[in-house]
Amino acid sequence: MRYGWIAIALLVAPIAPPAMGQSSPSASHDAHVKATVMRDPVLPADGRGRMEYTLGQSIFERIWVSAPSSTEAADGLGPLFNARSCVACHPGGARPKALIDVQGVVPSLLLRLGRADGSPDPVYGVQFQTASVANVPAEGRLDLVMEESTVALSDGEVVQLRRPIAVVSALGYGAMAPDTVFGLRIGPAIHGIGPIDAIPTGEILSRADPDDQDGDGISGRPSLLDEGQSILGRFGWKAVQPDMKSQNAHAFMADLGLSSELFPDPYGECSATQTACRSAPSGASPQYGDLEVSPLLMEVLDRFVAEAVLPPVNPTDDADPASIARGKAIFGKAGCTACHRESYEVAWPAGSTALRRISPYSDLLLHDMGPGLAEFLAEGAADAAEWRTAPLWGLRWALDENGEGALLHDGRARNLLEAILWHGGEAQAARDRVVDLSAEERVALISFLSSL
């Protein structure tokens, strides 16, 4: 059987944590959490497909260990890393509902680094790794402080907003460059990734209007990643990855320090000046093509991520259907659908001749979101104030029973209303219309968004 050796490797792979170097609280979240997503029910119930999905889920949940270990199929972690499993950053396959827990900053929250000219920090690279294997210093500790502000709604209600500010300490490799700036990023849910990957590029480009020629105040532009402007970015908060496979491989490299065909360096983000990191053992194995994550493992992991969806029904959801319908109408009237495009027709699953309607509520374009959400860090083709329109489907699973979560790119918004109030730039007019709503209308709008 083609995948028999994978199944055996999964069964015997050790799950005991390896010896660690220095780490921040965010690196100590080591519980073996199983994903709670499910296989997309529209997919055919074939045995091979279910097997590959299950194997991929096992890779997603696996706790990786440092090299050398008794099981080469499960080693290669680091030498620098932020988490020891995919599910640590995507709990249950969803996004985290808080930025900090009893152990500190959650591993889902990562710190991007960069300089004004777009280059990485010369020592620490483009991502700050807070954990390391034995005998290798971690890059340092990440903490947060909150900057608070208030917004008054038209009916007199005052909403308190917060913005997390990254604070780094215990730097393991000396000072950062004086012009290095930060950008916090929270891990999204793995929901509907395959269908989004299947949206025709032309459909996304058809909504682009970078010069606002129609005069509606919305000037979304595609994230074109190459000099020839032929490669469209569609994944990541700044749309920096062109497809799902690149996104998954990059996460293995940057978050776990694991090499694959797309990112073959076994030392991941270790820079040339981090000599202890560069001299540590790696998990690159000749039997896996001198990689730590073999092409076959990536294949089943990609299948899992492509086919995973959050459950369609929230058992705690008791919202009034009439309120949801009214909220959807308010969402459109406020102008939110100018960026949060509701639906597409896609050929999904892959190879299907029939089209399926999906409703991610995103145009997948970059938009200037104003100074409130801007940061000094430019990333990919996006300017500091530009963000890819975040898909809204699966929002119900980003919130707890009280409607609270960690929303937006850095988890600053504790609920949906706060997330809306942070919108500016091209979304300023829509945001102001929400401010002017009555309390009853806002409840309806939140009911609709909470149902997605």
Side-chain angles (χ1 to χ4, degrees):
M1 185 175 70
R2 180 184 180 193
Y3 293 99
W5 67 270
I6 299 180
I8 293 171
L10 292 172
L11 290 172
V12 302
I15 60 173
M20 292 291 173
Q22 300 173 3
S23 65
S24 76
S26 66
S28 61
H29 301 249
D30 293 333
H32 190 158
V33 181
K34 289 190 175 182
T36 56
V37 290
M38 58 183 286
R39 190 171 185 238
D40 192 336
V42 308
L43 297 170
D46 63 295
R48 176 169 175 166
R50 291 196 306 269
M51 179 188 68
E52 292 183 359
Y53 175 89
T54 300
L55 289 172
Q57 181 171 349
S58 297
I59 301 302
F60 186 81
E61 296 169 357
R62 169 183 289 175
I63 295 179
W64 292 82
V65 299
S66 58
S69 77
S70 59
T71 306
E72 291 185 359
D75 71 7
L77 179 73
L80 298 174
F81 59 94
N82 294 101
R84 299 195 298 122
S85 67
C86 303
V87 76
C89 292
H90 308 274
R95 58 183 291 151
K97 294 181 174 65
L99 296 181
I100 298 172
D101 63 17
V102 294
Q103 298 181 33
V105 176
V106 297
S108 304
L109 189 66
L110 305 173
L111 183 64
R112 293 278 197 265
L113 310 174
R115 303 163 81 187
D117 61 1
S119 63
D121 182 90
V123 174
Y124 292 88
V126 298
Q127 186 163 304
F128 189 64
Q129 276 92 15
T130 55
S132 61
V133 301
N135 303 315
V136 176
E139 291 190 324
R141 177 187 174 93
L142 172 64
D143 291 294
L144 303 175
V145 296
M146 296 295 175
E147 180 181 84
E148 297 185 345
S149 59
T150 58
V151 173
L153 306 181
S154 61
D155 60 2
E157 179 183 348
V158 176
V159 179
Q160 187 174 57
L161 304 180
R162 64 169 191 178
R163 179 171 73 94
I165 299 174
V167 177
V168 299
S169 60
L171 294 178
Y173 299 90
M176 293 184 182
D179 57 344
T180 291
V181 293
F182 300 159
L184 289 166
R185 302 284 185 273
I186 200 165
I190 55 162
H191 172 74
I193 303 299
I196 287 179
D197 206 25
I199 296 173
T201 297
E203 275 294 302
I204 299 172
L205 297 179
S206 70
R207 294 285 293 257
D209 184 17
D211 300 318
D212 193 20
Q213 293 185 353
D214 61 7
D216 66 351
I218 306 299
S219 53
R221 68 182 185 91
S223 173
L224 299 174
L225 302 176
D226 63 322
E227 292 184 2
Q229 298 197 330
S230 62
I231 300 176
L232 175 69
R234 64 177 73 195
F235 290 104
W237 291 102
K238 295 274 190 177
V240 296
Q241 296 297 337
D243 52 43
M244 177 201 66
K245 292 182 178 180
S246 298
Q247 177 74 11
N248 292 343
H250 183 270
F252 262 135
M253 182 275 294
D255 304 348
L256 283 79
L258 293 166
S259 60
S260 63
E261 281 188 311
L262 292 181
F263 297 92
D265 187 346
Y267 295 104
E269 267 253 295
C270 297
S271 67
T273 61
Q274 294 172 322
T275 55
C277 182
R278 282 280 164 185
S279 60
S282 82
S285 173
Q287 66 175 316
Y288 303 129
D290 290 324
L291 300 170
E292 293 162 324
V293 185
S294 73
L296 282 177
L297 290 185
M298 284 302 307
E299 181 181 335
V300 294
L301 183 279
D302 288 340
R303 179 159 197 158
F304 168 72
V305 173
E307 297 180 353
V309 295
L310 294 165
V313 178
N314 188 337
T316 64
D317 185 10
D318 57 358
D320 176 18
S323 179
I324 291 174
R326 186 185 183 196
K328 182 175 182 178
I330 293 170
F331 183 79
K333 187 176 181 180
C336 304
T337 52
C339 300
H340 289 283
R341 174 180 174 176
E342 179 177 354
S343 62
Y344 298 84
E345 299 285 339
V346 301
W348 175 256
S352 174
T353 57
L355 295 179
R356 171 192 174 192
R357 179 177 291 273
I358 63 169
S359 299
Y361 283 90
S362 172
D363 61 9
L364 301 176
L365 297 172
L366 296 174
H367 294 273
D368 185 332
M369 296 301 292
L373 289 175
E375 57 187 20
F376 294 109
L377 179 67
E379 191 175 358
D383 293 335
E386 289 183 313
W387 301 91
R388 181 201 66 159
T389 304
L392 300 181
W393 60 0
L395 258 183
R396 65 170 68 195
W397 293 101
L399 306 169
D400 65 15
E401 63 275 10
N402 299 314
E404 296 182 351
L407 307 177
L408 298 177
H409 67 278
D410 55 6
R412 68 177 66 187
R414 290 160 291 191
N415 55 55
L416 289 165
L417 180 57
E418 287 186 24
I420 294 169
L421 294 177
W422 275 109
H423 284 52
E426 296 173 42
Q428 185 71 45
R431 175 260 191 203
D432 291 347
R433 293 185 190 104
V434 173
V435 169
D436 290 337
L437 294 175
S438 68
E440 184 182 8
E441 290 171 322
R442 284 197 300 274
V443 168
L445 175 61
I446 298 304
S447 292
F448 163 66
L449 292 173
S450 300
S451 73
L452 295 177

